[in-house]
Amino acid sequence: MSAEGTRRRYDSLRRTAQAMETRAEIAQAARRLFVARGWTATTVRDVAREAGVSVPTVYSVYGNKAGLTRALADAVGLSADPSRQLAELETPGATPEQQLAVMAAFDRRLYEDAGDIIVPLREAARTEPELAALYRDSRARAAETRVAVFSSWPAGTLRPGLDVPTAADIYAALCNIDVYTTLTTERGWSPDRVEHWWAEALPRELLNSPMADRPLAASDR
């Protein structure tokens, strides 16, 4: 490749990186303002000022006020690193126990880093249609991931009598923001301890394997 071609290639990569950085800055600004002020009081102009960009830039990235719901979704996604979860789930030879541990680690990251937005988002969704759609879609995507993983396992992996939808329901009942908050805020557990407990409790509840019958460790009681 010529020097000119190389320069153009790096210019393109630089523009892409700058666009991603701008999107991330806007997403984090929207998150901060939503948490501090609520959805109704947060305007596109406020988000632009908080992010240090122009109002037209916000419109070009996310569109109108309703489009800022995607900024909140981006802010949550940046916290949990879904690309990392996908890569770890697809690790060759990963066992169901290991995949459950990967999913538990993802949920721990999500709740630890984005709990400040998930809880108010859920509450605001009760009265704000745009946020209700965002919350509903995010929950549906989480359920789809679990169903996809559980469906990929060989027959007989799940406990006898347990089907994939029910396994996804049980997972959701164990690994959710309310359980995480109760254990870390009210009971004094560390995020590491919650993740460890999830990684051991999920196989016991879901899998037809020796690990499912392993006694609960003293540190998890």
Side-chain angles (χ1 to χ4, degrees):
M1 182 180 293
S2 67
E4 179 64 21
T6 300
R7 186 185 65 78
R8 285 198 300 269
R9 177 184 178 187
Y10 281 109
D11 284 346
S12 176
L13 291 173
R14 188 175 296 107
R15 286 192 297 270
T16 299
Q18 290 171 342
M20 292 175 63
E21 289 173 1
T22 298
R23 188 179 184 93
E25 288 167 357
I26 295 172
Q28 297 296 0
R31 169 183 177 165
R32 290 192 296 272
L33 292 177
F34 170 72
V35 171
R37 303 180 182 180
W39 178 252
T40 302
T42 299
T43 68
V44 172
R45 185 173 298 277
D46 291 335
V47 171
R49 184 182 302 112
E50 179 74 12
V53 300
S54 67
V55 171
T57 297
V58 176
Y59 279 117
S60 70
V61 175
Y62 287 110
N64 55 18
K65 170 72 179 287
L68 282 177
T69 59
R70 297 199 310 278
L72 298 180
D74 285 348
V76 172
L78 288 168
S79 298
D81 195 355
S83 296
R84 173 182 170 184
Q85 178 186 223
L86 179 60
E88 292 176 344
L89 286 172
E90 294 181 336
T91 299
T95 65
E97 288 88 352
Q98 290 169 332
Q99 289 183 319
L100 286 172
V102 167
M103 296 164 70
F106 173 85
D107 284 335
R108 175 261 179 94
R109 293 195 302 272
L110 179 65
Y111 302 145
E112 184 176 16
D113 297 335
D116 64 333
I117 189 172
I118 294 173
V119 173
L121 175 61
R122 181 177 62 183
E123 295 307 309
R126 301 181 191 278
T127 57
E128 299 290 343
E130 298 96 339
L131 297 183
L134 170 62
Y135 187 74
R136 183 173 58 251
D137 291 347
S138 66
R139 298 300 296 164
R141 285 194 300 273
E144 288 172 1
T145 297
R146 294 160 192 164
V147 167
V149 172
F150 300 164
S151 298
S152 71
W153 293 341
T157 299
L158 292 174
R159 277 186 175 277
L162 192 64
D163 58 17
V164 167
T166 304
D169 292 343
I170 293 171
Y171 184 104
L174 277 174
C175 301
N176 61 66
I177 185 67
D178 294 314
V179 170
Y180 179 84
T181 301
T182 297
L183 291 176
T184 56
T185 302
E186 297 181 17
R187 309 307 302 174
W189 286 33
S190 68
D192 281 343
R193 187 179 179 189
V194 176
E195 180 184 337
H196 179 72
W197 173 63
W198 279 341
E200 292 196 338
L202 287 166
R204 284 195 300 269
E205 293 297 326
L206 301 180
L207 302 184
N208 181 25
S209 69
M211 189 173 184
D213 299 319
R214 192 178 63 78
L216 184 67
S219 62
D220 299 329
R221 293 173 183 161

